[in-house]
Amino acid sequence: MIDFSARHYASRTHNKMREVLLDPAAPTAARLCTRCVDPREQGDGMPDLVIRPAVSDDLEVLWDFLAMAAYEADAEAAKAAPSVAKYLVGWPRPGDFGFIAERNGEIIGAAWARRFCAEELKAPYGDDEAPKVSMGVKPSARGQGVGEMLLRALIGEAARCGLGLCLSVRSENPARRLYERLGFRDIPGSAVTNRAGGMSIGMARQPRDEWPR
């Protein structure tokens, strides 16, 4: 089960990027390949932030971010754990979609979504139609709104396809507040014991839900 750190998702998104990501009717290329500068970086010579679609060539770096999301030591450990590796094995398979965050040519974050059949999922959250979210952001880039931008990009693409989204989060994780603000709600009966011995819950966002502001 994939879990995410609250620090990944600070909500400090630049208004210009938000206007694009907040419009699910905007052309896909415009929504997903927009360059933006964080307001705090203006005038400081800091590089721009780019959110772009993830492609097959990104697979190896996606393994690094999956390891972060799953609290594995590294990509090799993530590949060796079937319950973790299933989120990326065969990427991209039909229905997969995701996004990469780059700053000055460096990949600093990634988020993607994949559908699973009931037999592939042991945790009781979501359904066969709603893709499951995985996300990771490099420690040096956390607290800057990168995770929120990536999550909004996933929500926008899912909305374009008429899909909801699901994710799993530890019950005590403050990131739940961000997920709730972006339209995710707890799934009744989804609480399970995670690999760390605590409790994780499933959260879902329905395709008909209002676009988050």
Side-chain angles (χ1 to χ4, degrees), residues 1 13 25 31 35 47 60 66 95 99 119 131 139 145 160 162 173 192 199 203-204 207:
M1 180 175 292
T13 310
R31 285 189 290 111
R35 183 178 299 271
E60 286 308 309
L66 180 60
F99 303 94
E119 290 73 21
R160 188 184 69 83
N173 192 334
V192 295
M199 298 300 295
M203 301 185 75

Side-chain angles (χ1 to χ4, degrees), residues 76-96:
E76 293 306 312
K79 293 176 183 179
S83 63
V84 175
K86 67 184 179 184
Y87 287 85
L88 268 182
V89 168
W91 171 273
R93 69 186 192 185
D96 288 353

Side-chain angles (χ1 to χ4, degrees), residues 11-35:
S11 55
R12 299 169 181 171
T13 310
H14 184 227
N15 287 341
K16 187 171 293 184
M17 172 64 88
R18 290 171 67 93
E19 289 173 2
V20 176
L21 294 181
L22 286 173
D23 182 6
T28 301
R31 285 189 290 111
L32 306 183
C33 299
T34 299
R35 183 178 299 271

Side-chain angles (χ1 to χ4, degrees), residues 2-4 8-9 52-55 58-70 78 84-93 95-101 107-116 125 130-137 147 149-155 157-158 164-168 184:
I2 305 302
D3 194 13
F4 317 112
H8 292 187
Y9 307 120
R52 65 164 176 82
V55 297
D58 293 314
L59 177 57
E60 286 308 309
V61 75
L62 289 178
W63 281 111
D64 293 332
F65 288 108
L66 180 60
M68 293 179 198
V84 175
K86 67 184 179 184
Y87 287 85
L88 268 182
V89 168
W91 171 273
R93 69 186 192 185
D96 288 353
F97 57 94
F99 303 94
I100 299 291
I107 295 177
I108 60 174
W112 63 97
R114 164 170 283 187
R115 282 182 175 179
F116 294 95
Y125 71 96
K132 277 57 178 173
V133 174
S134 303
M135 185 184 307
V137 175
M149 289 184 186
L150 288 166
L151 189 55
R152 285 178 177 272
L154 282 180
I155 292 172
E157 184 65 7
L165 289 172
C166 296
L167 55 81
S168 177
F184 288 86

Side-chain angles (χ1 to χ4, degrees), residues 162-208:
L163 297 171
L165 289 172
C166 296
L167 55 81
S168 177
V169 60
R170 295 184 181 185
S171 58
E172 72 278 8
N173 192 334
R176 290 177 63 183
R177 292 193 293 271
L178 172 67
Y179 303 147
E180 290 171 355
R181 181 162 57 81
L182 296 185
F184 288 86
R185 298 292 178 261
D186 293 359
I187 300 172
S190 65
V192 295
T193 302
N194 56 45
R195 293 183 299 160
M199 298 300 295
S200 290
I201 61 169
M203 301 185 75
R205 191 181 194 283
Q206 302 302 320
R208 63 181 178 276

